[in-house]
Amino acid sequence: MTEKIPQAVTPEPAQFAVLLKHISLLGGLDASQVQKLCSLLQQVEYLDGEQIFRRGDQPSHIYIVQSGRVRIDFGRPDHPLSDIHFDAGECFGETSVIGIQPFGRCHCRG
């Protein structure tokens, strides 16, 4: 898999704050924390069906879906998180970054 190169992006903090209110992990940030977080964001665009990461990849990012849809597939139908979808305004990857749940396979869905 070819690694995507993130583009530097600094979203409008007011617009980003609205998005964060719907993400429980990040929803309690104050204005200065939102500003700091905005300065750290990187934007990556994926094509429909393109794999974002694979099982076994080292978790290092929390992903916020800006548009489109993402499907997580753990490759086991009995896995409780297999075949979950994330739509615009939702995030994923936080449980892997903080060590709660290993990554599955992740595919972009337009």
Side-chain angles (χ1 to χ4, degrees):
M1 175 172 77
T2 303
E3 184 177 353
K4 291 282 189 168
I5 310 271
Q7 302 289 322
V9 61
T10 304
E12 178 64 39
Q15 292 174 335
F16 192 63
V18 171
L19 181 64
L20 290 181
K21 287 181 183 180
H22 301 287
I23 300 174
S24 60
L25 179 67
L26 306 172
L29 300 178
D30 64 29
S32 66
Q33 291 168 323
V34 169
Q35 181 69 38
K36 176 66 174 174
L37 185 57
C38 285
S39 72
L40 299 172
L41 291 177
Q42 297 176 325
Q43 185 172 356
V44 179
E45 187 172 320
Y46 294 92
L47 301 175
D48 187 18
E50 188 173 1
Q51 193 167 40
I52 298 170
F53 54 76
R54 295 180 183 158
R55 185 177 333 159
D57 286 351
Q58 183 65 29
S60 60
H61 295 85
I62 296 173
Y63 297 85
I64 300 172
V65 181
Q66 187 174 2
S67 64
R69 185 176 222 201
V70 174
R71 180 177 65 89
I72 303 286
D73 176 10
F74 281 84
R76 294 183 4 226
D78 62 330
H79 193 285
L81 301 177
S82 191
D83 203 29
I84 289 180
H85 294 89
F86 297 94
D87 294 309
E90 296 180 313
C91 76
F92 62 95
E94 71 280 4
T95 57
S96 294
V97 170
I98 61 176
I100 296 172
Q101 181 70 42
F103 273 156
R105 290 175 294 206
C106 184
H107 300 271
C108 185
R109 294 284 181 238

